[in-house]
Amino acid sequence: MKQFLRFSPTPELGLKEIHQSLSTRFPVYKTSIRENKVTIRKNALATACIKVEHSNYETCISIDTKMPFWVWLFVGWLFYLIGTKGFVDEIFSTLERDLKNKYSGKFGSLVKPRV
C-alpha cells in the first residue's frame, strides 16, 4: 500500500519536519529517522515509511508500509492490508493537513500525478 503527496517544489521541507509533525500528532507510536526516511511504528503489523523526494518541478512525499517476513507467513496478505490501510490513510491526512497549514502558498496548487 503506497500513497503520494505531490505539490509545488519545497526544498525546505525535509525529514526533520516530517518527523516533528508525526511525533507531535502520534505521540504513542515510535517515530524515528532512519537512512533517508521517517519510520513510524504502530505495532508489529503496522509500520510506515515516509520519504521526501525533491525535483525541479515538484516535491513528492511517499507513504509506504513495511512488513516483516514473518507476517506474510503467519498472518497473511489480506489481514496485513486490513491492518495497515487505516494507519496509512491517517498518516496521509495528517501530513496533508499539517503541510497545507505550514506551506499554504506551495500547497495551494497540487501537482497532478503523472501517468
Side-chain angles (χ1 to χ4, degrees):
M1 164 167 290
K2 200 169 208 178
Q3 290 194 14
F4 298 92
L5 276 170
R6 298 177 192 272
F7 50 99
S8 299
T10 312
E12 62 270 17
L13 175 64
L15 294 178
K16 290 182 183 179
E17 289 80 12
I18 300 278
H19 178 266
Q20 182 180 13
S21 174
L22 291 177
S23 57
T24 301
R25 297 287 182 185
F26 303 100
V28 295
Y29 303 147
K30 183 181 176 192
T31 308
S32 59
I33 298 176
R34 293 189 179 152
E35 299 169 7
N36 62 347
K37 61 187 174 237
V38 175
T39 304
I40 180 168
R41 181 182 171 112
K42 180 178 180 181
N43 54 37
L45 288 178
T47 301
C49 299
I50 299 96
K51 291 184 182 180
V52 180
E53 297 174 355
H54 300 285
S55 70
N56 291 338
Y57 56 92
E58 73 178 3
T59 294
C60 179
I61 298 174
S62 62
I63 306 164
D64 195 9
T65 54
K66 179 178 161 187
M67 182 174 66
F69 74 93
W70 61 266
V71 175
W72 284 101
L73 297 175
F74 294 113
V75 178
W77 183 69
L78 182 62
F79 292 115
Y80 166 71
L81 289 177
I82 293 168
T84 58
K85 181 177 180 353
F87 185 56
V88 171
D89 288 343
E90 192 175 5
I91 291 171
F92 178 86
S93 62
T94 298
L95 284 176
E96 186 178 35
R97 181 181 59 242
D98 288 352
L99 293 175
K100 278 184 180 179
N101 290 337
K102 189 169 184 176
Y103 303 105
S104 58
K106 300 271 187 177
F107 218 96
S109 59
L110 285 171
V111 177
K112 300 290 182 197
R114 288 176 281 155
V115 178

